[in-house]
Amino acid sequence: MSQKILISACLLGQPVRYNGRGLSLESQLLDLWKEKGLLVPICPEVEGGFPTPRPPAEIEPNMAGTDVLDHGARVKDVTGADVTDGFVAGARIAVRAALDAGCRFAILTDGSPSCGSVRIYSGRHDGEKREGIGVVTAALRQAGIEVFAQHQLKELALRLEHRAIML
């Protein structure tokens, strides 16, 4: 059985990002996985009830997605509105979708307060990024799903290959 991969819908060009655009990712690996029917697209923010477009949001400074899930941090949009509940709801939906589809891996959009897996924005709406993970990444990792950023496709391919050999 081929391994399914949860993927941020925007990386497949779907116009679901906060600015109403997609973030098409060009990759032979992605094309191959798509052709094999391995990709399970989702936009956790849209699933969490947010419109497209929407005001950009960030996790509070010096906090990460794990803190949001533990109720120790909030997600606020650029207007100052607390949008934490929608981010947590989207994370729960993403975990359920991944588990229902049998995904053990995910490719998510780095930088996002939902999907960041290496870096997220500073929390000050100043355009700066810092190390950290988003709410969905935290929830998926808690569920045992490995998360990769869109610039880590080769690393994911190696993990898939290793997993196939071990099965």
Side-chain angles (χ1 to χ4, degrees):
M1 181 176 114
S2 295
Q3 184 65 59
K4 297 281 188 170
I5 305 164
L6 191 75
I7 186 168
S8 294
C10 62
L11 295 176
L12 298 175
Q14 293 182 24
V16 292
R17 296 185 75 213
Y18 73 94
N19 59 8
R21 296 185 181 151
L23 185 67
S24 294
L25 184 58
E26 301 292 326
S27 163
Q28 289 180 339
L29 284 170
L30 202 60
D31 291 343
L32 175 66
W33 296 332
K34 188 175 184 181
E35 182 180 301
K36 288 184 174 186
L38 303 181
L39 302 179
V40 177
I42 190 168
C43 176
E45 293 177 21
V46 170
E47 293 294 330
F50 294 105
T52 303
R54 57 191 165 276
E58 298 182 11
I59 298 170
E60 292 178 307
N62 304 313
M63 299 294 189
T66 48
D67 301 306
V68 174
L69 292 177
D70 292 340
H71 308 289
R74 310 300 292 166
V75 183
K76 294 188 177 183
D77 72 20
V78 71
T79 70
D82 184 335
V83 292
T84 305
D85 290 346
F87 277 81
V88 171
R92 288 188 181 125
I93 292 166
V95 168
R96 178 58 36 217
L99 294 175
D100 287 350
C103 299
R104 300 304 307 146
F105 303 96
I107 305 166
L108 302 181
T109 308
D110 206 29
S112 160
S114 287
C115 298
S117 61
V118 178
R119 300 184 66 72
I120 57 176
Y121 283 94
S122 71
R124 295 178 179 87
H125 297 280
D126 58 7
E128 298 294 319
K129 290 184 183 176
R130 60 181 167 87
E131 287 185 17
I133 63 171
V135 181
V136 173
T137 294
L140 288 170
R141 287 182 177 164
Q142 286 177 359
I145 297 165
E146 290 184 56
V147 180
F148 295 82
Q150 72 268 28
H151 51 80
Q152 296 176 316
L153 296 184
K154 288 181 182 174
E155 291 91 335
L156 173 54
L158 289 172
R159 285 292 293 128
L160 289 168
E161 186 177 301
H162 177 27
R163 185 169 172 85
I165 290 169
M166 300 309 287
L167 292 178

